[in-house]
Amino acid sequence: MKLKILLPTEILLDDEVSKITAEAGNGSFTLLPRHVDFVAALAPGILSCETGGEEVFFAVDEGILVKRGVDVLVSTRGAFRGPDLGQLKQAVEEEFKSLDEK
């Protein structure tokens, strides 16, 4: 599958992936390459994907995920990439602190 994570100011990810796990309002779900076309309203939470045998994590704000054929598009107002959940948590906390100060 070809995953693109789109932010208002940049494309955070544009890569081939073999698995995507995300969270919607009614729970988490996983997409594999032969999954039917799919649309979901994402809840704030963790989105993970497997690329090249490696799992990559993103903290995402509310957004929309659309799977059509091999293309999966995620559009969100905010997202952070982290190599592991610990570093991702720290990045999110720093960003929220910065937003609170503004």
Side-chain angles (χ1 to χ4, degrees):
M1 294 179 292
K2 178 92 168 168
L3 175 62
K4 278 189 181 182
I5 300 177
L6 309 169
L7 301 175
T9 58
E10 66 179 301
I11 297 174
L12 185 60
L13 180 76
D14 185 0
D15 205 354
E16 294 289 328
V17 299
S18 58
K19 178 180 171 183
I20 301 166
T21 302
E23 297 180 37
N26 58 349
S28 65
F29 60 92
T30 299
L31 299 175
L32 297 171
R34 293 186 178 207
H35 198 285
V36 298
D37 289 353
F38 186 78
V39 176
L42 298 178
I46 301 296
L47 182 144
S48 67
C49 62
E50 286 184 14
T51 178
E54 175 183 331
E55 191 166 24
V56 181
F57 298 96
F58 298 88
V60 296
D61 197 354
E62 294 177 335
I64 299 291
L65 178 144
V66 177
K67 180 188 183 299
R68 183 172 177 217
V70 297
D71 296 319
V72 180
L73 299 174
V74 173
S75 179
T76 181
R77 290 181 289 166
F80 301 95
R81 182 179 182 158
D84 63 50
L85 291 175
Q87 291 180 0
L88 188 60
K89 180 180 185 240
Q90 180 181 356
V92 169
E93 287 174 350
E94 289 173 5
E95 180 64 20
F96 286 148
K97 184 178 179 181
S98 172
L99 290 173
D100 285 345
E101 290 173 359
K102 288 181 183 178

